[in-house]
Amino acid sequence: MQTADDRKQVQDFRRFHEANAGKLIILDEAQEAPELFPELRACLDRREFENDNTQWLLLGSAAAQLTQLAGQLGGRYGEINLWPFHIGELTGNFAL
């Protein structure tokens, strides 16, 4: 969520979620919007009862801060650490 327009889109979180229900929603630099995490937790809690298959992918370059905020989700998340590409991965030449 890098621009003011991006932040404005998710300001009314419930409306944003309803408009994108059933999709994969990617929030880049999610640590910049800590106010969304309680809303997201409530949304995840309602999933089972509302038959909601929306998927959320939270990305962020401030890993420690994002992990701390994700703790507010109370175990409703998984974490994957991604590392930079190795040139061999990009060219198909995997010999080091």
Side-chain angles (χ1 to χ4, degrees):
M1 297 199 273
Q2 310 232 343
T3 68
D5 287 339
D6 295 337
R7 292 179 78 87
K8 197 182 293 185
Q9 285 184 24
V10 296
Q11 194 170 22
D12 184 345
F13 189 83
R14 192 169 189 87
R15 176 181 276 171
F16 174 79
H17 175 242
E18 288 172 358
N20 294 285
K23 298 178 183 176
L24 169 62
I25 299 173
I26 302 170
L27 300 178
D28 190 19
E29 299 299 340
Q31 76 277 0
E32 293 181 9
E35 69 280 1
L36 295 181
F37 284 80
E39 296 281 347
L40 181 55
R41 180 178 177 158
C43 176
L44 294 173
D45 285 345
R46 289 190 304 268
R47 284 179 74 129
E48 290 182 43
F49 305 109
E50 296 179 357
N51 196 26
D52 179 10
N53 61 353
T54 305
Q55 296 178 319
W56 299 85
L57 178 59
L58 308 178
L59 304 173
S61 56
Q65 187 179 7
L66 185 56
T67 299
Q68 181 181 10
L69 287 167
Q72 295 180 31
L73 301 178
R76 295 162 184 83
Y77 74 99
E79 187 174 312
I80 300 172
N81 290 316
L82 301 175
W83 305 104
F85 291 110
H86 182 274
I87 190 68
E89 295 173 307
L90 301 175
T91 63
N93 178 8
F94 293 101
L96 298 176

